[in-house]
Each structure stands twice: as C-alpha cells, then as structure tokens.
Amino acid sequence: MTALKLLSRTKLYWGLIAIFLIGVLGSPVSSKGNNIFLSYGNLLDVLRQVSTTGLIATGMTAVIITGGIDLSVGSLMAICSVVCAMLLTVPGVTPGVVLGVPTVALVALCLGFIVTRFVFLNLEKSRAGADASRDARLDRARGLVTPAIVGVVLCCLSLWYLLPQVEPKFGVLGVLLVAPCVGLLFGALNGFIIVAGRLQPFIVTLAMMVTALGIARLTAGQNNAVLPVYTGSNATEDFELLRSMVFGVVPMPGLFFLGAILIYGAVLRFTPFGRYVYAIGGNEEAARLSGIAAGRVKIVTYAVSGLLAGIAAVLYVAQYRQGKPDAGAGLELDAIAAVVIGGTSLMGGRGSLTGTFCGVLIFGLLSNILQLHNINSNLQLVLKGMIIIGTVLVQERNAGDLLAYLRLPGTAHKETAAAKRPSQETRSLNLGGNKK
C-alpha cells in the first residue's frame, strides 16, 4: 500500500488529530499557566456534551447506510424526555403513564414473539441444511403458539414491574425501560410506513417529526413548556447516577455513548444483519433478489434509531434536569452532520460507526474550541457550516473537481490534459478501425 493510499484511507483520523492539535496550540491558559483545552475536566466535558448527539448519530449511521434518512429523531427525543420527566416527578396516572406503560407492554409482546420465532426459524434452517435453508417452514406450535406465549409472558412481566411504580413515581430503571420503548415504537412505525407504503424516508420522517412534536406538547400540557426534575426533591435521588462519574473516570452519558458505538459497531461489522444493511444501501433491488428481507432490515434500523433517541432523552433529562417538548430541536441535523463528517455516504452503502465516532468528536472538539475563545454564537454557526462543507468535499473526493470548476491556479492544465487524453472507448474504436 502506497503512502498516498494510506493517507487517503486514514484522512478522517488525521482530521481529528488536526482539530485536537489546533485546540492544544490555540488554547487559552488558566491563571496558573495550565492549558485549559488539555485539562482533564474540559475533555470530560466534551465527551459528556457529545454523548446525546453521539447516541442519535449512532442510530442514524445504519439508517443512512441503507440509503435512508431519519429527520424525526430530535422530536422523538423530545417526546421521550417529556415522558421521562413526567414519570419521575408526577405521581399517579398521567399522560406520560398512559403513553409509556402500554407502549412497553406492546413492545414486550412484539419482541417476545419476533425473537422466539426468529430463534426457532434459525434452528430449523440449521437442521434442514444450507440447501433447504431458504425454504424452511415452522409448524403451528413453533411458528405461532410458542412465540405468542413468550410474548404474552414478557408483556405481563413488564406490567408487573411498571404498574406498582405509577403511584409513588418511577425510578431510574423504570424510565430507562419506558422512554427507550417509546422511541423504539415510533421508530419502528417510521420504518413500517416507509416499507409498506413505499414512500420516501425523507417525507415519512419529516411527517413524524411534526407529529411527534405535537404529541410531546400534548403530553406535557398547555401550561408545561418545561418539566423540571430535581433529584432528591421532586424525583428520586438515584436519578443523579445518570449524570455522575463512573469510578471518577468517565461520565455516565459518555459510557452509554461508547457502549452504543461498540455494540452496534460490532453488530454492523460481524453479523449477517450488518452485511444486509450494507447490501441494501449498495443496491436494494439486488439485495432483495438475493433473498434478503430488505423491508424487515430497514424497519429494524429505524426502530434502533428511535430506541437510541429514547436513551438520549433520559440522559438529557439527567444532565439538564428538565424535560421539554422542544428538547431535541435541530439535533437531527447535528447528528446527520456528524455522520457525514465521519465518512458515511448519503447515497448509502458506505460508512462505519468508527467514522461516526470520529465525526462526533470532531464536531464536539470544534464547538469546545470556539467556546473557549468566546467566539460569537452566530459566527460559530457560520464556521461550523463551512467546516462541514469542506470536510464532506474531502471525504467524497470532490475538492479537486470544485477547484477545477472554479479554474483556480494549478487546475486548468489538468482539465486541459484530461480533455486532450483520448477516452477508453475512443481508443477501442481506433483499434477496431486499424484491424479492419
């Protein structure tokens, strides 16, 4: 491998290193002469701040690799934050309980049925052998009755755990179960409408973004623009755990983000599901003809995107001590920007969660550098936009084309040389004519 190819393949990491060095060299110093950017507290703050966007970007990556887009994640995070805050602070039957508890029961029922049937089907395929794996069929007991029983049992267990928490208010584990399930349900609904209705993901998720925002406002109530959460006062003191430091080393939100990157990254890299995701993004029709259940795979990616938005909502409530109907406004754009900066193609079929992780860190470090220098917030937006465009041009290898189009010095001669160079088709025709 030549040095140029190696540099091209690792350019994202060089970009992250460059941003980090800029932060180090240009950092202001404290009164004691210490580099503020390099301080352990500052770097931990960066990880804490990017965790919410990072979780959403993690789910967004798989969606974009399939060739889709999810504009609803910000609103899904908002509705989940409202549900989380209401469950924590308001006892009794509330709109949050009415929305959240039945959702958990439904998700438990469906997951129990689907997972059990999936296990039986794969066991049958293994028993039948590779030649008959595609035609494997299940009898009524294993294909319907047993999965239904497992689903009902899980549904009853979830209700048995959640219903006693309604009157005294929910605890940490309760909201960590309810909020992600709400996000998962809305995300799965996105995927189902896209697949069953054969609609563009942009339109469906845009509609869901508006719908979820309205549901969040209805759930919060007309007089509740903000639902405050004070641990030890109107909410359980254990909720403080979600904004604490793990062993004094890593902030809890950062641990959730790193865990999601590692787990989902391993799934995309080493499992058949991950291969199906890339195959669908490369050529969905070819993937479908090769036997891949493209519709199911896409529904799962949107469901996981909603699930991670729900987890991000709980962490948002823990960090900012509030739930808001507009908590995730604009967050979907930050997530998409981080994913694209990380090298994932909006056309689908190419990308990785390693790149997304670097993209999220680049975005977070850039924001931190601008804040340390007290750059005007409006100017920060302008600079971020310019950097996003420049990074994507480099990632897509279109920077040279842009320079040639602008006819900047050093590019005109390349364009002329390319125009003078005969094409492969022309050379083939000339050779054919000479043979005659």
Short mmCIF file of all heavy atoms in Angstrom, two decimals, residues 140-208:
data_model
loop_
_atom_site.label_atom_id
_atom_site.label_comp_id
_atom_site.label_asym_id
_atom_site.label_seq_id
_atom_site.Cartn_x
_atom_site.Cartn_y
_atom_site.Cartn_z
N ARG A 140 -47.22 -25.06 13.47
CA ARG A 140 -48.04 -24.09 14.18
C ARG A 140 -47.55 -23.84 15.60
O ARG A 140 -47.58 -22.71 16.09
CB ARG A 140 -49.49 -24.60 14.21
CG ARG A 140 -50.47 -23.63 14.86
CD ARG A 140 -51.88 -24.20 14.84
NE ARG A 140 -52.82 -23.30 15.48
CZ ARG A 140 -53.39 -22.27 14.90
NH1 ARG A 140 -53.11 -21.98 13.64
NH2 ARG A 140 -54.25 -21.51 15.56
N ALA A 141 -47.06 -24.90 16.26
CA ALA A 141 -46.62 -24.76 17.65
C ALA A 141 -45.42 -23.84 17.77
O ALA A 141 -45.38 -22.96 18.63
CB ALA A 141 -46.30 -26.15 18.23
N ARG A 142 -44.43 -24.05 16.89
CA ARG A 142 -43.21 -23.24 16.97
C ARG A 142 -43.34 -21.92 16.22
O ARG A 142 -42.63 -20.96 16.54
CB ARG A 142 -42.02 -24.03 16.44
CG ARG A 142 -41.64 -25.22 17.30
CD ARG A 142 -40.45 -25.95 16.70
NE ARG A 142 -40.74 -26.43 15.36
CZ ARG A 142 -39.81 -26.86 14.49
NH1 ARG A 142 -38.54 -26.84 14.84
NH2 ARG A 142 -40.16 -27.29 13.30
N GLY A 143 -44.19 -21.86 15.24
CA GLY A 143 -44.30 -20.64 14.44
C GLY A 143 -45.28 -19.63 14.97
O GLY A 143 -45.18 -18.43 14.66
N LEU A 144 -46.24 -20.08 15.80
CA LEU A 144 -47.27 -19.16 16.26
C LEU A 144 -47.55 -19.27 17.77
O LEU A 144 -47.48 -18.27 18.50
CB LEU A 144 -48.57 -19.39 15.49
CG LEU A 144 -49.77 -18.51 15.86
CD1 LEU A 144 -49.43 -17.04 15.58
CD2 LEU A 144 -51.01 -18.94 15.09
N VAL A 145 -47.83 -20.48 18.24
CA VAL A 145 -48.29 -20.64 19.62
C VAL A 145 -47.20 -20.29 20.63
O VAL A 145 -47.40 -19.45 21.52
CB VAL A 145 -48.79 -22.09 19.85
CG1 VAL A 145 -49.21 -22.27 21.31
CG2 VAL A 145 -49.96 -22.40 18.92
N THR A 146 -46.03 -20.94 20.50
CA THR A 146 -44.96 -20.69 21.47
C THR A 146 -44.48 -19.24 21.45
O THR A 146 -44.32 -18.62 22.51
CB THR A 146 -43.77 -21.64 21.22
OG1 THR A 146 -44.24 -22.99 21.27
CG2 THR A 146 -42.69 -21.44 22.26
N PRO A 147 -44.22 -18.64 20.26
CA PRO A 147 -43.84 -17.22 20.26
C PRO A 147 -44.91 -16.32 20.89
O PRO A 147 -44.57 -15.36 21.60
CB PRO A 147 -43.68 -16.89 18.77
CG PRO A 147 -43.33 -18.20 18.14
CD PRO A 147 -44.12 -19.22 18.91
N ALA A 148 -46.19 -16.62 20.68
CA ALA A 148 -47.24 -15.81 21.27
C ALA A 148 -47.24 -15.94 22.79
O ALA A 148 -47.42 -14.95 23.52
CB ALA A 148 -48.60 -16.23 20.71
N ILE A 149 -47.01 -17.16 23.28
CA ILE A 149 -46.97 -17.36 24.73
C ILE A 149 -45.80 -16.59 25.35
O ILE A 149 -45.95 -15.92 26.38
CB ILE A 149 -46.86 -18.87 25.05
CG1 ILE A 149 -48.14 -19.58 24.66
CG2 ILE A 149 -46.55 -19.08 26.53
CD1 ILE A 149 -48.08 -21.09 24.82
N VAL A 150 -44.63 -16.65 24.71
CA VAL A 150 -43.46 -15.92 25.21
C VAL A 150 -43.73 -14.42 25.22
O VAL A 150 -43.40 -13.71 26.17
CB VAL A 150 -42.21 -16.25 24.37
CG1 VAL A 150 -41.03 -15.36 24.78
CG2 VAL A 150 -41.84 -17.71 24.51
N GLY A 151 -44.35 -13.93 24.16
CA GLY A 151 -44.68 -12.51 24.09
C GLY A 151 -45.63 -12.07 25.19
O GLY A 151 -45.45 -11.02 25.82
N VAL A 152 -46.66 -12.88 25.44
CA VAL A 152 -47.64 -12.56 26.49
C VAL A 152 -46.97 -12.57 27.86
O VAL A 152 -47.23 -11.71 28.71
CB VAL A 152 -48.82 -13.55 26.44
CG1 VAL A 152 -49.71 -13.38 27.67
CG2 VAL A 152 -49.63 -13.34 25.17
N VAL A 153 -46.08 -13.55 28.08
CA VAL A 153 -45.37 -13.63 29.37
C VAL A 153 -44.51 -12.38 29.59
O VAL A 153 -44.53 -11.78 30.67
CB VAL A 153 -44.51 -14.90 29.43
CG1 VAL A 153 -43.58 -14.87 30.65
CG2 VAL A 153 -45.39 -16.14 29.49
N LEU A 154 -43.76 -11.97 28.57
CA LEU A 154 -42.94 -10.77 28.70
C LEU A 154 -43.81 -9.53 28.91
O LEU A 154 -43.44 -8.63 29.68
CB LEU A 154 -42.07 -10.59 27.45
CG LEU A 154 -40.88 -11.54 27.30
CD1 LEU A 154 -40.14 -11.27 26.00
CD2 LEU A 154 -39.94 -11.40 28.49
N CYS A 155 -44.94 -9.48 28.23
CA CYS A 155 -45.86 -8.35 28.41
C CYS A 155 -46.36 -8.28 29.85
O CYS A 155 -46.37 -7.21 30.47
CB CYS A 155 -47.03 -8.50 27.43
SG CYS A 155 -48.31 -7.24 27.60
N CYS A 156 -46.74 -9.44 30.40
CA CYS A 156 -47.23 -9.47 31.79
C CYS A 156 -46.12 -9.11 32.78
O CYS A 156 -46.37 -8.40 33.76
CB CYS A 156 -47.79 -10.85 32.10
SG CYS A 156 -49.29 -11.27 31.19
N LEU A 157 -44.90 -9.57 32.52
CA LEU A 157 -43.79 -9.24 33.42
C LEU A 157 -43.49 -7.75 33.42
O LEU A 157 -43.21 -7.16 34.47
CB LEU A 157 -42.54 -10.03 32.99
CG LEU A 157 -42.53 -11.53 33.29
CD1 LEU A 157 -41.29 -12.18 32.71
CD2 LEU A 157 -42.60 -11.77 34.80
N SER A 158 -43.56 -7.14 32.24
CA SER A 158 -43.30 -5.69 32.17
C SER A 158 -44.36 -4.91 32.92
O SER A 158 -44.06 -3.95 33.64
CB SER A 158 -43.23 -5.24 30.71
OG SER A 158 -44.49 -5.42 30.06
N LEU A 159 -45.63 -5.31 32.78
CA LEU A 159 -46.70 -4.63 33.51
C LEU A 159 -46.57 -4.86 35.02
O LEU A 159 -46.82 -3.96 35.82
CB LEU A 159 -48.06 -5.12 33.02
CG LEU A 159 -48.44 -4.72 31.59
CD1 LEU A 159 -49.76 -5.36 31.18
CD2 LEU A 159 -48.53 -3.20 31.46
N TRP A 160 -46.18 -6.09 35.40
CA TRP A 160 -45.99 -6.40 36.81
C TRP A 160 -44.89 -5.53 37.43
O TRP A 160 -44.98 -5.13 38.59
CB TRP A 160 -45.63 -7.88 36.94
CG TRP A 160 -45.20 -8.29 38.32
CD1 TRP A 160 -46.01 -8.55 39.39
CD2 TRP A 160 -43.86 -8.47 38.78
NE1 TRP A 160 -45.26 -8.89 40.49
CE2 TRP A 160 -43.93 -8.84 40.14
CE3 TRP A 160 -42.61 -8.36 38.17
CZ2 TRP A 160 -42.79 -9.11 40.90
CZ3 TRP A 160 -41.47 -8.62 38.91
CH2 TRP A 160 -41.57 -8.98 40.27
N TYR A 161 -43.89 -5.20 36.63
CA TYR A 161 -42.80 -4.36 37.14
C TYR A 161 -43.16 -2.88 37.15
O TYR A 161 -42.79 -2.14 38.09
CB TYR A 161 -41.55 -4.58 36.28
CG TYR A 161 -40.39 -3.69 36.65
CD1 TYR A 161 -39.68 -3.87 37.84
CD2 TYR A 161 -40.01 -2.63 35.82
CE1 TYR A 161 -38.62 -3.05 38.19
CE2 TYR A 161 -38.96 -1.79 36.16
CZ TYR A 161 -38.27 -2.01 37.35
OH TYR A 161 -37.24 -1.18 37.70
N LEU A 162 -43.90 -2.41 36.14
CA LEU A 162 -44.13 -0.97 35.99
C LEU A 162 -45.33 -0.45 36.76
O LEU A 162 -45.30 0.66 37.31
CB LEU A 162 -44.30 -0.63 34.50
CG LEU A 162 -43.07 -0.81 33.61
CD1 LEU A 162 -43.42 -0.53 32.16
CD2 LEU A 162 -41.94 0.10 34.07
N LEU A 163 -46.42 -1.20 36.81
CA LEU A 163 -47.65 -0.69 37.42
C LEU A 163 -47.49 -0.29 38.88
O LEU A 163 -48.06 0.73 39.31
CB LEU A 163 -48.77 -1.71 37.26
CG LEU A 163 -49.31 -1.87 35.82
CD1 LEU A 163 -50.39 -2.95 35.76
CD2 LEU A 163 -49.85 -0.54 35.29
N PRO A 164 -46.73 -1.04 39.71
CA PRO A 164 -46.55 -0.60 41.10
C PRO A 164 -45.81 0.73 41.24
O PRO A 164 -45.84 1.34 42.31
CB PRO A 164 -45.74 -1.75 41.73
CG PRO A 164 -46.05 -2.94 40.90
CD PRO A 164 -46.19 -2.40 39.51
N GLN A 165 -45.14 1.20 40.16
CA GLN A 165 -44.40 2.45 40.24
C GLN A 165 -45.24 3.67 39.86
O GLN A 165 -44.76 4.80 39.94
CB GLN A 165 -43.17 2.40 39.33
CG GLN A 165 -42.18 1.28 39.65
CD GLN A 165 -40.95 1.33 38.77
OE1 GLN A 165 -40.29 2.37 38.66
NE2 GLN A 165 -40.63 0.21 38.14
N VAL A 166 -46.47 3.43 39.44
CA VAL A 166 -47.30 4.54 38.96
C VAL A 166 -47.62 5.51 40.10
O VAL A 166 -47.47 6.74 39.96
CB VAL A 166 -48.59 4.00 38.31
CG1 VAL A 166 -49.55 5.15 38.00
CG2 VAL A 166 -48.25 3.22 37.04
N GLU A 167 -48.08 5.01 41.23
CA GLU A 167 -48.48 5.90 42.32
C GLU A 167 -47.31 6.59 43.01
O GLU A 167 -47.33 7.80 43.21
CB GLU A 167 -49.31 5.11 43.33
CG GLU A 167 -50.71 4.76 42.85
CD GLU A 167 -51.52 6.00 42.49
OE1 GLU A 167 -51.33 7.06 43.13
OE2 GLU A 167 -52.35 5.93 41.56
N PRO A 168 -46.24 5.87 43.38
CA PRO A 168 -45.15 6.55 44.11
C PRO A 168 -44.15 7.26 43.19
O PRO A 168 -43.18 7.80 43.69
CB PRO A 168 -44.47 5.40 44.85
CG PRO A 168 -44.68 4.22 43.98
CD PRO A 168 -46.03 4.41 43.35
N LYS A 169 -44.33 7.25 41.88
CA LYS A 169 -43.42 7.81 40.87
C LYS A 169 -42.34 6.79 40.49
O LYS A 169 -41.94 5.96 41.28
CB LYS A 169 -42.78 9.12 41.33
CG LYS A 169 -43.79 10.25 41.50
CD LYS A 169 -43.12 11.57 41.82
CE LYS A 169 -42.46 11.59 43.16
NZ LYS A 169 -42.05 12.96 43.57
N PHE A 170 -41.88 6.92 39.27
CA PHE A 170 -40.98 5.93 38.69
C PHE A 170 -39.54 6.15 39.17
O PHE A 170 -39.14 7.26 39.51
CB PHE A 170 -41.02 6.00 37.16
CG PHE A 170 -42.17 5.27 36.56
CD1 PHE A 170 -43.49 5.68 36.79
CD2 PHE A 170 -41.97 4.16 35.76
CE1 PHE A 170 -44.55 5.00 36.25
CE2 PHE A 170 -43.03 3.48 35.19
CZ PHE A 170 -44.33 3.90 35.44
N GLY A 171 -38.77 5.05 39.14
CA GLY A 171 -37.35 5.11 39.46
C GLY A 171 -36.50 5.14 38.21
O GLY A 171 -37.00 5.24 37.08
N VAL A 172 -35.20 5.00 38.40
CA VAL A 172 -34.25 5.09 37.30
C VAL A 172 -34.47 3.98 36.28
O VAL A 172 -34.56 4.21 35.07
CB VAL A 172 -32.80 5.05 37.83
CG1 VAL A 172 -31.81 5.11 36.67
CG2 VAL A 172 -32.55 6.17 38.80
N LEU A 173 -34.55 2.73 36.75
CA LEU A 173 -34.72 1.61 35.83
C LEU A 173 -36.06 1.69 35.10
O LEU A 173 -36.15 1.29 33.94
CB LEU A 173 -34.61 0.29 36.61
CG LEU A 173 -33.24 -0.02 37.21
CD1 LEU A 173 -33.27 -1.35 37.94
CD2 LEU A 173 -32.17 -0.05 36.12
N GLY A 174 -37.07 2.20 35.78
CA GLY A 174 -38.37 2.34 35.13
C GLY A 174 -38.33 3.27 33.93
O GLY A 174 -38.82 2.93 32.85
N VAL A 175 -37.74 4.45 34.10
CA VAL A 175 -37.69 5.40 32.98
C VAL A 175 -36.71 4.91 31.90
O VAL A 175 -36.90 5.19 30.71
CB VAL A 175 -37.31 6.81 33.45
CG1 VAL A 175 -38.39 7.38 34.34
CG2 VAL A 175 -35.96 6.83 34.16
N LEU A 176 -35.66 4.18 32.31
CA LEU A 176 -34.74 3.62 31.31
C LEU A 176 -35.39 2.50 30.50
O LEU A 176 -34.88 2.14 29.43
CB LEU A 176 -33.47 3.08 31.99
CG LEU A 176 -32.39 4.10 32.32
CD1 LEU A 176 -31.27 3.46 33.11
CD2 LEU A 176 -31.85 4.75 31.05
N LEU A 177 -36.49 1.98 30.98
CA LEU A 177 -37.26 0.99 30.23
C LEU A 177 -38.33 1.65 29.38
O LEU A 177 -38.50 1.32 28.20
CB LEU A 177 -37.88 -0.02 31.19
CG LEU A 177 -38.79 -1.09 30.58
CD1 LEU A 177 -38.00 -1.97 29.60
CD2 LEU A 177 -39.44 -1.94 31.67
N VAL A 178 -39.05 2.62 29.96
CA VAL A 178 -40.20 3.20 29.27
C VAL A 178 -39.78 4.13 28.13
O VAL A 178 -40.26 3.98 26.99
CB VAL A 178 -41.09 3.97 30.27
CG1 VAL A 178 -42.22 4.70 29.53
CG2 VAL A 178 -41.67 3.02 31.31
N ALA A 179 -38.89 5.08 28.40
CA ALA A 179 -38.54 6.08 27.37
C ALA A 179 -37.94 5.45 26.12
O ALA A 179 -38.35 5.79 25.00
CB ALA A 179 -37.59 7.12 27.98
N PRO A 180 -36.96 4.53 26.22
CA PRO A 180 -36.45 3.90 25.00
C PRO A 180 -37.51 3.10 24.25
O PRO A 180 -37.48 3.06 23.01
CB PRO A 180 -35.33 2.99 25.52
CG PRO A 180 -34.88 3.62 26.80
CD PRO A 180 -36.13 4.17 27.40
N CYS A 181 -38.46 2.49 24.98
CA CYS A 181 -39.51 1.74 24.29
C CYS A 181 -40.43 2.67 23.50
O CYS A 181 -40.90 2.32 22.41
CB CYS A 181 -40.32 0.93 25.30
SG CYS A 181 -39.50 -0.58 25.86
N VAL A 182 -40.69 3.85 24.05
CA VAL A 182 -41.50 4.84 23.31
C VAL A 182 -40.77 5.24 22.03
O VAL A 182 -41.37 5.29 20.94
CB VAL A 182 -41.77 6.08 24.19
CG1 VAL A 182 -42.43 7.18 23.37
CG2 VAL A 182 -42.66 5.71 25.37
N GLY A 183 -39.48 5.51 22.13
CA GLY A 183 -38.71 5.85 20.94
C GLY A 183 -38.67 4.71 19.95
O GLY A 183 -38.78 4.91 18.73
N LEU A 184 -38.51 3.48 20.45
CA LEU A 184 -38.46 2.31 19.56
C LEU A 184 -39.77 2.15 18.80
O LEU A 184 -39.76 1.85 17.60
CB LEU A 184 -38.16 1.07 20.40
CG LEU A 184 -37.94 -0.25 19.63
CD1 LEU A 184 -36.95 -1.13 20.38
CD2 LEU A 184 -39.25 -1.02 19.45
N LEU A 185 -40.90 2.33 19.49
CA LEU A 185 -42.19 2.18 18.82
C LEU A 185 -42.37 3.19 17.70
O LEU A 185 -42.78 2.84 16.59
CB LEU A 185 -43.32 2.32 19.85
CG LEU A 185 -44.74 2.17 19.30
CD1 LEU A 185 -44.96 0.78 18.77
CD2 LEU A 185 -45.78 2.50 20.36
N PHE A 186 -42.06 4.46 17.97
CA PHE A 186 -42.20 5.48 16.93
C PHE A 186 -41.21 5.23 15.79
O PHE A 186 -41.54 5.45 14.62
CB PHE A 186 -41.99 6.87 17.53
CG PHE A 186 -43.19 7.42 18.23
CD1 PHE A 186 -43.32 7.32 19.61
CD2 PHE A 186 -44.21 8.03 17.52
CE1 PHE A 186 -44.43 7.82 20.26
CE2 PHE A 186 -45.32 8.54 18.16
CZ PHE A 186 -45.44 8.42 19.54
N GLY A 187 -39.99 4.80 16.11
CA GLY A 187 -39.02 4.50 15.07
C GLY A 187 -39.46 3.34 14.20
O GLY A 187 -39.34 3.38 12.96
N ALA A 188 -39.98 2.28 14.83
CA ALA A 188 -40.48 1.13 14.06
C ALA A 188 -41.66 1.54 13.18
O ALA A 188 -41.80 1.05 12.05
CB ALA A 188 -40.89 0.01 15.01
N LEU A 189 -42.50 2.46 13.68
CA LEU A 189 -43.62 2.96 12.88
C LEU A 189 -43.10 3.71 11.65
O LEU A 189 -43.65 3.58 10.55
CB LEU A 189 -44.49 3.87 13.74
CG LEU A 189 -45.77 4.41 13.09
CD1 LEU A 189 -46.67 3.26 12.67
CD2 LEU A 189 -46.51 5.34 14.05
N ASN A 190 -42.04 4.48 11.82
CA ASN A 190 -41.39 5.12 10.68
C ASN A 190 -41.01 4.09 9.62
O ASN A 190 -41.33 4.22 8.44
CB ASN A 190 -40.12 5.85 11.13
CG ASN A 190 -40.37 7.28 11.55
OD1 ASN A 190 -41.34 7.91 11.13
ND2 ASN A 190 -39.51 7.81 12.40
N GLY A 191 -40.27 3.06 10.06
CA GLY A 191 -39.80 2.04 9.12
C GLY A 191 -40.94 1.30 8.46
O GLY A 191 -40.89 1.01 7.26
N PHE A 192 -41.99 0.99 9.23
CA PHE A 192 -43.13 0.25 8.67
C PHE A 192 -43.83 1.05 7.58
O PHE A 192 -44.18 0.52 6.52
CB PHE A 192 -44.11 -0.11 9.79
CG PHE A 192 -45.33 -0.84 9.32
CD1 PHE A 192 -45.28 -2.19 9.01
CD2 PHE A 192 -46.54 -0.16 9.15
CE1 PHE A 192 -46.41 -2.86 8.55
CE2 PHE A 192 -47.67 -0.82 8.69
CZ PHE A 192 -47.60 -2.18 8.39
N ILE A 193 -44.04 2.34 7.83
CA ILE A 193 -44.72 3.18 6.83
C ILE A 193 -43.85 3.31 5.58
O ILE A 193 -44.36 3.27 4.44
CB ILE A 193 -45.03 4.56 7.43
CG1 ILE A 193 -46.04 4.43 8.57
CG2 ILE A 193 -45.57 5.50 6.36
CD1 ILE A 193 -46.29 5.73 9.31
N ILE A 194 -42.54 3.46 5.76
CA ILE A 194 -41.63 3.58 4.62
C ILE A 194 -41.67 2.32 3.77
O ILE A 194 -41.75 2.38 2.53
CB ILE A 194 -40.20 3.86 5.10
CG1 ILE A 194 -40.10 5.28 5.67
CG2 ILE A 194 -39.18 3.69 3.97
CD1 ILE A 194 -38.81 5.55 6.41
N VAL A 195 -41.63 1.16 4.42
CA VAL A 195 -41.58 -0.11 3.69
C VAL A 195 -42.94 -0.47 3.11
O VAL A 195 -43.05 -0.78 1.92
CB VAL A 195 -41.08 -1.23 4.63
CG1 VAL A 195 -41.20 -2.59 3.95
CG2 VAL A 195 -39.63 -0.97 5.03
N ALA A 196 -43.99 -0.43 3.94
CA ALA A 196 -45.31 -0.85 3.48
C ALA A 196 -45.91 0.14 2.49
O ALA A 196 -46.57 -0.25 1.53
CB ALA A 196 -46.25 -1.04 4.67
N GLY A 197 -45.67 1.43 2.73
CA GLY A 197 -46.23 2.44 1.84
C GLY A 197 -45.35 2.79 0.67
O GLY A 197 -45.76 3.55 -0.21
N ARG A 198 -44.11 2.26 0.66
CA ARG A 198 -43.14 2.54 -0.41
C ARG A 198 -42.98 4.05 -0.61
O ARG A 198 -43.02 4.57 -1.74
CB ARG A 198 -43.57 1.87 -1.72
CG ARG A 198 -43.62 0.36 -1.64
CD ARG A 198 -43.99 -0.27 -2.97
NE ARG A 198 -44.06 -1.72 -2.85
CZ ARG A 198 -44.36 -2.53 -3.86
NH1 ARG A 198 -44.63 -2.03 -5.07
NH2 ARG A 198 -44.38 -3.83 -3.68
N LEU A 199 -42.80 4.73 0.51
CA LEU A 199 -42.64 6.18 0.50
C LEU A 199 -41.19 6.55 0.75
O LEU A 199 -40.41 5.76 1.27
CB LEU A 199 -43.53 6.82 1.57
CG LEU A 199 -45.04 6.58 1.43
CD1 LEU A 199 -45.77 7.18 2.62
CD2 LEU A 199 -45.55 7.17 0.13
N GLN A 200 -40.84 7.76 0.37
CA GLN A 200 -39.50 8.26 0.61
C GLN A 200 -39.28 8.48 2.10
O GLN A 200 -40.13 9.07 2.77
CB GLN A 200 -39.28 9.58 -0.14
CG GLN A 200 -39.19 9.45 -1.64
CD GLN A 200 -37.96 8.68 -2.07
OE1 GLN A 200 -36.92 8.75 -1.43
NE2 GLN A 200 -38.07 7.94 -3.17
N PRO A 201 -38.14 8.02 2.65
CA PRO A 201 -37.86 8.22 4.07
C PRO A 201 -37.89 9.68 4.49
O PRO A 201 -38.30 10.00 5.60
CB PRO A 201 -36.46 7.62 4.25
CG PRO A 201 -36.34 6.62 3.15
CD PRO A 201 -37.11 7.20 2.00
N PHE A 202 -37.47 10.56 3.59
CA PHE A 202 -37.47 11.99 3.91
C PHE A 202 -38.88 12.47 4.25
O PHE A 202 -39.09 13.18 5.25
CB PHE A 202 -36.91 12.78 2.73
CG PHE A 202 -36.85 14.26 2.95
CD1 PHE A 202 -35.72 14.84 3.50
CD2 PHE A 202 -37.92 15.08 2.62
CE1 PHE A 202 -35.66 16.21 3.72
CE2 PHE A 202 -37.87 16.45 2.83
CZ PHE A 202 -36.73 17.01 3.38
N ILE A 203 -39.86 12.07 3.45
CA ILE A 203 -41.24 12.53 3.65
C ILE A 203 -41.82 11.93 4.93
O ILE A 203 -42.44 12.63 5.75
CB ILE A 203 -42.11 12.17 2.44
CG1 ILE A 203 -41.57 12.85 1.17
CG2 ILE A 203 -43.56 12.55 2.69
CD1 ILE A 203 -41.57 14.35 1.23
N VAL A 204 -41.62 10.63 5.10
CA VAL A 204 -42.21 9.94 6.26
C VAL A 204 -41.64 10.48 7.57
O VAL A 204 -42.38 10.78 8.51
CB VAL A 204 -41.99 8.42 6.15
CG1 VAL A 204 -42.48 7.71 7.41
CG2 VAL A 204 -42.69 7.87 4.92
N THR A 205 -40.33 10.59 7.64
CA THR A 205 -39.71 11.04 8.89
C THR A 205 -39.95 12.53 9.13
O THR A 205 -40.00 12.97 10.29
CB THR A 205 -38.21 10.74 8.89
OG1 THR A 205 -37.57 11.37 7.76
CG2 THR A 205 -37.95 9.25 8.84
N LEU A 206 -40.12 13.30 8.07
CA LEU A 206 -40.49 14.70 8.23
C LEU A 206 -41.89 14.81 8.84
O LEU A 206 -42.13 15.61 9.75
CB LEU A 206 -40.44 15.43 6.89
CG LEU A 206 -40.83 16.92 6.89
CD1 LEU A 206 -39.85 17.72 7.74
CD2 LEU A 206 -40.88 17.46 5.46
N ALA A 207 -42.81 13.98 8.35
CA ALA A 207 -44.16 13.96 8.92
C ALA A 207 -44.13 13.50 10.37
O ALA A 207 -44.84 14.05 11.23
CB ALA A 207 -45.06 13.06 8.08
N MET A 208 -43.30 12.50 10.66
CA MET A 208 -43.20 12.02 12.03
C MET A 208 -42.58 13.07 12.95
O MET A 208 -42.94 13.17 14.12
CB MET A 208 -42.37 10.74 12.07
CG MET A 208 -42.20 10.13 13.47
SD MET A 208 -43.78 9.70 14.25
CE MET A 208 -44.19 8.21 13.33
#
